[in-house]
Amino acid sequence: MIRRKKLLPVRVAVVLVGLTAAAAHLCNHVQASHHQEPAEPAIAVAQDRFRTESLEAGILAMNQKQAALDTDRLRIVLTARKYLGTPYVYGAKYGQTDTFDCSSFAKTVFAEHGMELPRVSRDQAKLGEAVERDELSVGDLVFFATDETHGGIGHVGIYTGSGRMIHTYGDGGVKYSRIDSGYWEERYVTARRLLK
């Protein structure tokens, strides 16, 4: 009597063959990875250069944007400076530069750089974004209360750095004043950033 070998169903055989081939491929891959040569030096250098140049390009773009912003801030202050000594007149008419009050002065300076501000300081204080006092930058608008406004905003100046602003109020007209001591330090209310 001849005994016949039991044959596996065709589907099971195919699966086993596939698994065996996959296992062999995996073993070959693992062995190859242990003996794999490092990437060509030229390719590695090119990859490093690409990463470095991409990083440098990003930094350069950020620096250029910051430099442009710093230039705009400086231009605001230089424009304001050219009016040093111009007399102060409360309610001075906007559109002429023989006299200023605080808000017509700020409005005039920013208008020369294509930025339209409202006519009065309390409305100017609604523009841009609020800035903490210890984070002021050149060109920010700084706002104060006066004796006449009883705690409300009644004065505006343009921050020039190092605790000073350029503005106009009282004797001397357009001038620099400190905001971190004396009269204005006591009356400081808020600051707004229009240049960003």
Side-chain angles (χ1 to χ4, degrees):
M1 184 173 178
I2 300 172
R3 295 179 108 184
R4 295 187 178 179
K5 291 183 181 179
K6 288 188 178 178
L7 297 175
L8 292 172
V10 174
R11 285 185 186 173
V12 174
V14 169
V15 169
L16 287 176
V17 170
L19 288 175
T20 305
H25 177 73
L26 181 60
C27 288
N28 290 338
H29 179 72
V30 170
Q31 288 175 351
S33 67
H34 286 299
H35 302 291
Q36 189 174 10
E37 294 296 322
E40 290 284 335
I43 295 174
V45 168
Q47 289 171 339
D48 286 344
R49 181 179 298 166
F50 176 77
R51 283 191 290 267
T52 302
E53 288 176 353
S54 297
L55 180 61
E56 288 174 349
I59 292 171
L60 180 61
M62 289 172 61
N63 288 343
Q64 287 175 336
K65 183 178 179 182
Q66 185 60 48
L69 179 58
D70 290 344
T71 299
D72 290 343
R73 293 179 182 282
L74 180 59
R75 285 176 177 156
I76 289 288
V77 172
L78 291 175
T79 297
R81 278 185 57 186
K82 75 182 183 181
Y83 294 115
L84 282 169
T86 302
Y88 171 83
V89 172
Y90 178 77
K93 184 179 179 182
Y94 174 70
Q96 54 83 38
T97 56
D98 295 332
T99 60
F100 293 113
D101 65 9
C102 66
S103 53
S104 73
F105 174 63
K107 182 173 172 65
T108 297
V109 169
F110 277 82
E112 290 189 27
H113 295 274
M115 302 176 72
E116 291 300 318
L117 274 60
R119 175 62 183 85
V120 296
S121 58
R122 67 177 172 272
D123 292 332
Q124 292 172 356
K126 299 172 185 174
L127 300 178
E129 64 181 31
V131 183
E132 293 297 324
R133 190 167 179 171
D134 59 355
E135 294 179 356
L136 287 169
S137 291
V138 171
D140 289 343
L141 292 176
V142 284
F143 297 92
F144 306 84
T146 61
D147 294 336
E148 296 79 20
T149 57
H150 308 290
I153 291 171
H155 187 69
V156 60
I158 301 169
Y159 189 68
T160 59
S162 302
R164 300 201 308 166
M165 67 174 167
I166 188 167
H167 68 135
T168 183
Y169 189 76
D171 294 339
V174 176
K175 56 183 171 289
Y176 290 102
S177 296
R178 299 210 67 82
I179 69 167
D180 55 4
S181 63
Y183 183 88
W184 297 112
E185 195 254 349
E186 295 169 3
R187 290 163 174 77
Y188 182 89
V189 177
T190 190
R192 307 293 292 189
R193 180 164 297 161
L194 278 60
L195 299 169
K196 52 187 177 177

